[in-house]
Amino acid sequence: MISFLRKITFSILLAGSMAACGPKQPQPSNTGNAIYYWRTTFALDSTERDFLQRHNIERIYLRMFDVAAELNPETDGYEAVPIATTRFPDDNDESAQTVPEGIEIVPTVYITLDALRTMQGEEAKYAELMVERLRAMASYNKCGKIREMQFDCDWTASTRASFVKLCSVARERLHADTIALSATIRLHQLAEKAPPVDCGVLMLYNTGALKNPDTHNSILDIKDVRPYLRKRKCNIPLGYAYPTFGWGVRFHDGKFQRIVSRPEVESLDDGDTIRIERPTADEILEVKSLVEKELGLPLHRNILYHLDNEQLKYYTDDEITKIYARR
């Protein structure tokens, strides 16, 4: 049987031994600048390490794996399984220093909406499996002391109850070891009561309608952000994540085709167009000013999405410093 349990690379610890420890108050994460890492191999080159140092980045939200819904041919039903696990350098390679000294890692899991639907009724089981897989990966890959883990999921009103149960169980398990649980918060989720987590990160990107040919910039447009900010019911401390990336969106005869990572090398047929999207530093700073005016200063400091030389080269050091700056 294909199952979440069989796909887990590392051993699962017994939850009972942790429960006996009793609840503890998680230590707060440090307050330095932060950045997401969303590639499938965690190997920082010298340029990326220099970027972390120049901008006083002290925390990396590191995507460890995704959880998706896959068909089990034995039962002819769908179940939640881990996919796209991040690979780390070979432990035998002494020259491969994965986590720079002084950097705190926040192990992060991305949960698809379809996977969340398959967890209904079994949220406690999946919460424990995900927490223990994150723990095991962080330990095996020498990620240092873990003080926070994060669940990333674009839950909706119809799936909110399942996500709440998932977070509730995970948070209880993590608190037993003085680890906080955070969650990403999309703009549309601001109008909902927060899930049971210690804090959140407001994702200020992918704010527009990607597949609409009339959209100006689906990654970030202040016109898309503004309507959500005054509807806040999400009652947890929030950090803010800003986009420092771009792409092309390809259409054929006005119909969405796909996202293009390198639009400059695309060949186009008749009827094809590519909308280039990349928020400028000025656009990011305009949104940042609005968000801080409406929601207040962020928890800790600001966060960039994400650590990738090919994307960050479009922004100057001065622009990055201004995005990170806190009043």
Side-chain angles (χ1 to χ4, degrees), residues 176-207:
D177 280 351
T178 326
I179 298 173
L181 177 66
S182 64
T184 57
I185 303 294
R186 269 60 173 189
L187 282 168
H188 70 88
Q189 295 167 347
L190 273 177
E192 302 283 346
K193 183 180 177 181
V197 295
D198 298 295
C199 57
V201 175
L202 182 61
M203 313 305 268
L204 290 155
Y205 53 86
N206 297 352
T207 61

mmCIF file of all heavy atoms in Angstrom, residues 176-207:
data_model
loop_
_atom_site.group_PDB
_atom_site.id
_atom_site.type_symbol
_atom_site.label_atom_id
_atom_site.label_comp_id
_atom_site.label_asym_id
_atom_site.label_seq_id
_atom_site.Cartn_x
_atom_site.Cartn_y
_atom_site.Cartn_z
ATOM 1 N N ALA A 176 5.690 20.579 23.201
ATOM 2 C CA ALA A 176 6.287 19.658 24.174
ATOM 3 C C ALA A 176 7.805 19.705 24.121
ATOM 4 O O ALA A 176 8.481 19.396 25.107
ATOM 5 C CB ALA A 176 5.796 18.232 23.920
ATOM 6 N N ASP A 177 8.341 20.114 22.970
ATOM 7 C CA ASP A 177 9.793 20.240 22.810
ATOM 8 C C ASP A 177 10.216 21.689 22.629
ATOM 9 O O ASP A 177 11.272 21.971 22.058
ATOM 10 C CB ASP A 177 10.265 19.408 21.618
ATOM 11 C CG ASP A 177 10.393 17.937 21.966
ATOM 12 O OD1 ASP A 177 10.276 17.600 23.157
ATOM 13 O OD2 ASP A 177 10.607 17.124 21.049
ATOM 14 N N THR A 178 9.400 22.611 23.093
ATOM 15 C CA THR A 178 9.695 24.044 23.053
ATOM 16 C C THR A 178 9.960 24.533 21.629
ATOM 17 O O THR A 178 10.881 25.301 21.378
ATOM 18 C CB THR A 178 10.903 24.375 23.954
ATOM 19 O OG1 THR A 178 10.906 23.528 25.091
ATOM 20 C CG2 THR A 178 10.815 25.824 24.442
ATOM 21 N N ILE A 179 9.137 24.066 20.696
ATOM 22 C CA ILE A 179 9.221 24.502 19.299
ATOM 23 C C ILE A 179 7.902 25.174 18.930
ATOM 24 O O ILE A 179 6.828 24.645 19.237
ATOM 25 C CB ILE A 179 9.495 23.315 18.352
ATOM 26 C CG1 ILE A 179 10.836 22.661 18.688
ATOM 27 C CG2 ILE A 179 9.487 23.769 16.889
ATOM 28 C CD1 ILE A 179 11.111 21.390 17.911
ATOM 29 N N ALA A 180 7.997 26.323 18.307
ATOM 30 C CA ALA A 180 6.799 27.062 17.894
ATOM 31 C C ALA A 180 6.320 26.560 16.532
ATOM 32 O O ALA A 180 7.091 26.028 15.730
ATOM 33 C CB ALA A 180 7.100 28.554 17.827
ATOM 34 N N LEU A 181 5.029 26.752 16.275
ATOM 35 C CA LEU A 181 4.458 26.449 14.958
ATOM 36 C C LEU A 181 3.957 27.745 14.339
ATOM 37 O O LEU A 181 3.216 28.510 14.972
ATOM 38 C CB LEU A 181 3.300 25.459 15.076
ATOM 39 C CG LEU A 181 2.586 25.131 13.753
ATOM 40 C CD1 LEU A 181 3.528 24.391 12.801
ATOM 41 C CD2 LEU A 181 1.314 24.318 13.994
ATOM 42 N N SER A 182 4.364 27.985 13.090
ATOM 43 C CA SER A 182 3.851 29.129 12.347
ATOM 44 C C SER A 182 3.143 28.636 11.098
ATOM 45 O O SER A 182 3.263 27.471 10.711
ATOM 46 C CB SER A 182 4.977 30.098 11.973
ATOM 47 O OG SER A 182 5.907 29.481 11.092
ATOM 48 N N ALA A 183 2.392 29.524 10.478
ATOM 49 C CA ALA A 183 1.697 29.189 9.235
ATOM 50 C C ALA A 183 1.772 30.370 8.291
ATOM 51 O O ALA A 183 1.834 31.524 8.725
ATOM 52 C CB ALA A 183 0.238 28.833 9.506
ATOM 53 N N THR A 184 1.786 30.080 7.007
ATOM 54 C CA THR A 184 1.659 31.156 6.032
ATOM 55 C C THR A 184 0.212 31.625 6.011
ATOM 56 O O THR A 184 -0.716 30.852 6.255
ATOM 57 C CB THR A 184 2.064 30.682 4.625
ATOM 58 O OG1 THR A 184 1.254 29.550 4.265
ATOM 59 C CG2 THR A 184 3.529 30.298 4.586
ATOM 60 N N ILE A 185 0.028 32.910 5.733
ATOM 61 C CA ILE A 185 -1.310 33.489 5.647
ATOM 62 C C ILE A 185 -1.429 34.196 4.303
ATOM 63 O O ILE A 185 -0.668 35.124 4.007
ATOM 64 C CB ILE A 185 -1.569 34.490 6.795
ATOM 65 C CG1 ILE A 185 -1.382 33.826 8.162
ATOM 66 C CG2 ILE A 185 -2.963 35.097 6.668
ATOM 67 C CD1 ILE A 185 -2.375 32.741 8.491
ATOM 68 N N ARG A 186 -2.365 33.733 3.455
ATOM 69 C CA ARG A 186 -2.644 34.434 2.203
ATOM 70 C C ARG A 186 -3.546 35.636 2.482
ATOM 71 O O ARG A 186 -4.214 35.703 3.505
ATOM 72 C CB ARG A 186 -3.328 33.496 1.222
ATOM 73 C CG ARG A 186 -2.423 32.715 0.292
ATOM 74 C CD ARG A 186 -1.480 31.840 0.978
ATOM 75 N NE ARG A 186 -0.740 30.985 0.029
ATOM 76 C CZ ARG A 186 0.029 30.002 0.398
ATOM 77 N NH1 ARG A 186 0.163 29.715 1.690
ATOM 78 N NH2 ARG A 186 0.685 29.280 -0.483
ATOM 79 N N LEU A 187 -3.596 36.539 1.529
ATOM 80 C CA LEU A 187 -4.401 37.748 1.724
ATOM 81 C C LEU A 187 -5.861 37.421 2.002
ATOM 82 O O LEU A 187 -6.479 38.013 2.885
ATOM 83 C CB LEU A 187 -4.277 38.652 0.499
ATOM 84 C CG LEU A 187 -2.989 39.476 0.402
ATOM 85 C CD1 LEU A 187 -2.866 40.095 -0.978
ATOM 86 C CD2 LEU A 187 -2.947 40.565 1.470
ATOM 87 N N HIS A 188 -6.424 36.456 1.286
ATOM 88 C CA HIS A 188 -7.842 36.151 1.490
ATOM 89 C C HIS A 188 -8.086 35.521 2.855
ATOM 90 O O HIS A 188 -9.214 35.557 3.369
ATOM 91 C CB HIS A 188 -8.367 35.240 0.369
ATOM 92 C CG HIS A 188 -7.833 33.836 0.399
ATOM 93 N ND1 HIS A 188 -8.433 32.834 1.121
ATOM 94 C CD2 HIS A 188 -6.760 33.273 -0.216
ATOM 95 C CE1 HIS A 188 -7.768 31.710 0.950
ATOM 96 N NE2 HIS A 188 -6.745 31.952 0.158
ATOM 97 N N GLN A 189 -7.040 34.971 3.483
ATOM 98 C CA GLN A 189 -7.185 34.355 4.796
ATOM 99 C C GLN A 189 -7.148 35.385 5.934
ATOM 100 O O GLN A 189 -7.478 35.055 7.070
ATOM 101 C CB GLN A 189 -6.084 33.304 5.008
ATOM 102 C CG GLN A 189 -6.196 32.125 4.049
ATOM 103 C CD GLN A 189 -4.955 31.250 4.036
ATOM 104 O OE1 GLN A 189 -3.904 31.634 4.551
ATOM 105 N NE2 GLN A 189 -5.060 30.084 3.434
ATOM 106 N N LEU A 190 -6.780 36.622 5.610
ATOM 107 C CA LEU A 190 -6.767 37.675 6.632
ATOM 108 C C LEU A 190 -8.152 37.898 7.230
ATOM 109 O O LEU A 190 -8.280 38.313 8.386
ATOM 110 C CB LEU A 190 -6.275 38.993 6.033
ATOM 111 C CG LEU A 190 -4.774 39.260 6.005
ATOM 112 C CD1 LEU A 190 -4.503 40.588 5.314
ATOM 113 C CD2 LEU A 190 -4.170 39.260 7.400
ATOM 114 N N ALA A 191 -9.179 37.647 6.441
ATOM 115 C CA ALA A 191 -10.546 37.892 6.900
ATOM 116 C C ALA A 191 -11.085 36.755 7.762
ATOM 117 O O ALA A 191 -12.215 36.833 8.247
ATOM 118 C CB ALA A 191 -11.466 38.094 5.698
ATOM 119 N N GLU A 192 -10.288 35.708 7.964
ATOM 120 C CA GLU A 192 -10.697 34.566 8.771
ATOM 121 C C GLU A 192 -9.961 34.581 10.113
ATOM 122 O O GLU A 192 -8.862 35.124 10.230
ATOM 123 C CB GLU A 192 -10.370 33.255 8.040
ATOM 124 C CG GLU A 192 -11.015 33.119 6.685
ATOM 125 C CD GLU A 192 -12.473 32.757 6.760
ATOM 126 O OE1 GLU A 192 -12.936 32.343 7.842
ATOM 127 O OE2 GLU A 192 -13.156 32.897 5.721
ATOM 128 N N LYS A 193 -10.576 33.965 11.115
ATOM 129 C CA LYS A 193 -9.876 33.773 12.378
ATOM 130 C C LYS A 193 -8.654 32.907 12.127
ATOM 131 O O LYS A 193 -8.695 31.966 11.335
ATOM 132 C CB LYS A 193 -10.791 33.099 13.398
ATOM 133 C CG LYS A 193 -10.161 32.925 14.764
ATOM 134 C CD LYS A 193 -11.125 32.254 15.734
ATOM 135 C CE LYS A 193 -10.448 32.016 17.081
ATOM 136 N NZ LYS A 193 -11.349 31.334 18.041
ATOM 137 N N ALA A 194 -7.557 33.218 12.779
ATOM 138 C CA ALA A 194 -6.297 32.508 12.535
ATOM 139 C C ALA A 194 -6.388 31.047 12.974
ATOM 140 O O ALA A 194 -7.102 30.718 13.924
ATOM 141 C CB ALA A 194 -5.161 33.192 13.276
ATOM 142 N N PRO A 195 -5.654 30.157 12.306
ATOM 143 C CA PRO A 195 -5.546 28.786 12.790
ATOM 144 C C PRO A 195 -4.759 28.774 14.103
ATOM 145 O O PRO A 195 -4.098 29.774 14.445
ATOM 146 C CB PRO A 195 -4.774 28.076 11.664
ATOM 147 C CG PRO A 195 -4.021 29.158 10.969
ATOM 148 C CD PRO A 195 -4.879 30.386 11.073
ATOM 149 N N PRO A 196 -4.770 27.675 14.854
ATOM 150 C CA PRO A 196 -4.088 27.630 16.149
ATOM 151 C C PRO A 196 -2.580 27.461 16.001
ATOM 152 O O PRO A 196 -2.024 26.375 16.170
ATOM 153 C CB PRO A 196 -4.727 26.413 16.835
ATOM 154 C CG PRO A 196 -5.149 25.532 15.706
ATOM 155 C CD PRO A 196 -5.552 26.448 14.596
ATOM 156 N N VAL A 197 -1.926 28.561 15.648
ATOM 157 C CA VAL A 197 -0.473 28.587 15.508
ATOM 158 C C VAL A 197 0.061 29.753 16.334
ATOM 159 O O VAL A 197 -0.697 30.606 16.797
ATOM 160 C CB VAL A 197 -0.043 28.727 14.030
ATOM 161 C CG1 VAL A 197 -0.462 27.513 13.223
ATOM 162 C CG2 VAL A 197 -0.625 29.996 13.404
ATOM 163 N N ASP A 198 1.369 29.798 16.521
ATOM 164 C CA ASP A 198 1.974 30.832 17.361
ATOM 165 C C ASP A 198 2.145 32.161 16.639
ATOM 166 O O ASP A 198 2.122 33.224 17.261
ATOM 167 C CB ASP A 198 3.325 30.342 17.880
ATOM 168 C CG ASP A 198 3.163 29.110 18.751
ATOM 169 O OD1 ASP A 198 2.551 29.217 19.821
ATOM 170 O OD2 ASP A 198 3.627 28.028 18.343
ATOM 171 N N CYS A 199 2.334 32.103 15.331
ATOM 172 C CA CYS A 199 2.507 33.321 14.536
ATOM 173 C C CYS A 199 2.337 32.956 13.073
ATOM 174 O O CYS A 199 2.223 31.776 12.716
ATOM 175 C CB CYS A 199 3.870 33.970 14.784
ATOM 176 S SG CYS A 199 5.282 32.887 14.456
ATOM 177 N N GLY A 200 2.313 33.962 12.213
ATOM 178 C CA GLY A 200 2.129 33.703 10.793
ATOM 179 C C GLY A 200 3.011 34.588 9.943
ATOM 180 O O GLY A 200 3.611 35.556 10.422
ATOM 181 N N VAL A 201 3.082 34.244 8.661
ATOM 182 C CA VAL A 201 3.770 35.072 7.673
ATOM 183 C C VAL A 201 2.768 35.411 6.580
ATOM 184 O O VAL A 201 2.231 34.514 5.919
ATOM 185 C CB VAL A 201 4.982 34.345 7.060
ATOM 186 C CG1 VAL A 201 5.593 35.211 5.948
ATOM 187 C CG2 VAL A 201 6.032 34.057 8.118
ATOM 188 N N LEU A 202 2.477 36.703 6.426
ATOM 189 C CA LEU A 202 1.570 37.163 5.383
ATOM 190 C C LEU A 202 2.305 37.150 4.052
ATOM 191 O O LEU A 202 3.304 37.854 3.879
ATOM 192 C CB LEU A 202 1.064 38.565 5.706
ATOM 193 C CG LEU A 202 0.067 39.168 4.718
ATOM 194 C CD1 LEU A 202 -1.199 38.327 4.632
ATOM 195 C CD2 LEU A 202 -0.267 40.610 5.106
ATOM 196 N N MET A 203 1.803 36.357 3.110
ATOM 197 C CA MET A 203 2.476 36.180 1.827
ATOM 198 C C MET A 203 2.003 37.262 0.854
ATOM 199 O O MET A 203 0.903 37.183 0.299
ATOM 200 C CB MET A 203 2.182 34.797 1.259
ATOM 201 C CG MET A 203 2.343 33.672 2.282
ATOM 202 S SD MET A 203 3.962 33.647 3.081
ATOM 203 C CE MET A 203 4.854 32.546 2.013
ATOM 204 N N LEU A 204 2.826 38.267 0.659
ATOM 205 C CA LEU A 204 2.473 39.400 -0.178
ATOM 206 C C LEU A 204 2.995 39.209 -1.597
ATOM 207 O O LEU A 204 3.706 40.040 -2.151
ATOM 208 C CB LEU A 204 2.986 40.689 0.459
ATOM 209 C CG LEU A 204 2.212 41.047 1.726
ATOM 210 C CD1 LEU A 204 3.043 41.912 2.661
ATOM 211 C CD2 LEU A 204 0.891 41.725 1.380
ATOM 212 N N TYR A 205 2.623 38.081 -2.163
ATOM 213 C CA TYR A 205 2.953 37.789 -3.562
ATOM 214 C C TYR A 205 1.922 36.816 -4.117
ATOM 215 O O TYR A 205 1.138 36.234 -3.366
ATOM 216 C CB TYR A 205 4.365 37.251 -3.723
ATOM 217 C CG TYR A 205 4.724 36.066 -2.860
ATOM 218 C CD1 TYR A 205 4.434 34.771 -3.266
ATOM 219 C CD2 TYR A 205 5.380 36.243 -1.644
ATOM 220 C CE1 TYR A 205 4.784 33.685 -2.481
ATOM 221 C CE2 TYR A 205 5.732 35.165 -0.859
ATOM 222 C CZ TYR A 205 5.428 33.882 -1.286
ATOM 223 O OH TYR A 205 5.764 32.808 -0.496
ATOM 224 N N ASN A 206 1.915 36.681 -5.450
ATOM 225 C CA ASN A 206 0.865 35.923 -6.138
ATOM 226 C C ASN A 206 -0.510 36.468 -5.722
ATOM 227 O O ASN A 206 -1.422 35.728 -5.362
ATOM 228 C CB ASN A 206 0.971 34.425 -5.847
ATOM 229 C CG ASN A 206 2.270 33.832 -6.360
ATOM 230 O OD1 ASN A 206 3.026 34.503 -7.066
ATOM 231 N ND2 ASN A 206 2.533 32.597 -6.015
ATOM 232 N N THR A 207 -0.610 37.794 -5.807
ATOM 233 C CA THR A 207 -1.800 38.479 -5.311
ATOM 234 C C THR A 207 -2.895 38.628 -6.363
ATOM 235 O O THR A 207 -4.047 38.914 -6.019
ATOM 236 C CB THR A 207 -1.428 39.887 -4.805
ATOM 237 O OG1 THR A 207 -0.881 40.659 -5.899
ATOM 238 C CG2 THR A 207 -0.411 39.822 -3.675
#
